[in-house]
Amino acid sequence: FAFGADQTIIDLNKLVWEPFKAEGVPPGPELAVLRGDAKGGALEVMVRLPANYTFPNHSHTSDELYVWLKGNFTYIAADGTATPLSGQSYISLPGGVPHALACGAEPCVFYVRYARPLDLHLHSMPQPKK
């Protein structure tokens, strides 16, 4: 819905999900674009990960902001620190910060905002920190 210039209202129960495809990323993640275009400029998306799915260690050029809405998960930092978080969490990262996300026993759903065009740089998974 839109009720004027630069206004967007979306019923999140009616999102159109598309498979997220990127080299080196195992099948499973889905995106629903809320605002913007994945090919350029700022972008706001909803992301859905299957249960027990780990999104590989990666970074983006853009700063990114996450609002986690559903599903317990583990945030894996560049140094291997794994931090379990609840299904309602906020994450803000500057561009260039490697991280991985491991979804728990139920599917995960979260909002992400990229201030710059979306790109994806894969990194090897860090060794778990003891």
Side-chain angles (χ1 to χ4, degrees):
F1 303 105
F3 297 97
D6 205 30
Q7 298 179 37
T8 304
I9 300 170
I10 297 172
D11 181 337
L12 297 181
N13 290 310
K14 296 180 181 177
L15 292 174
V16 176
W17 295 97
E18 301 279 338
F20 177 75
K21 296 178 183 176
E23 188 174 331
V25 176
E30 297 175 296
L31 293 181
V33 175
L34 302 173
R35 290 181 68 169
D37 181 344
K39 294 180 172 57
L43 179 67
E44 295 178 71
V45 296
M46 295 297 294
V47 179
R48 186 163 58 185
L49 301 178
N52 303 308
Y53 181 92
T54 298
F55 198 95
N57 195 29
H58 67 285
S59 63
H60 307 280
T61 301
S62 178
D63 295 350
E64 54 187 323
L65 178 145
Y66 291 79
V67 177
W68 213 274
L69 301 171
K70 178 182 171 193
N72 294 339
F73 70 105
T74 300
Y75 176 88
I76 304 165
D79 69 357
T81 301
T83 304
L85 294 163
S86 76
Q88 288 91 38
S89 298
Y90 171 87
I91 301 169
S92 178
L93 301 174
V97 173
H99 57 285
L101 305 164
C103 193
E106 67 176 284
C108 293
V109 177
F110 53 99
Y111 163 89
V112 186
R113 181 182 189 280
Y114 300 98
R116 297 171 58 187
L118 176 62
D119 59 7
L120 180 72
H121 308 283
L122 294 176
H123 307 275
S124 57
M125 282 298 281
Q127 293 297 315
K129 201 164 188 180
K130 302 203 188 234

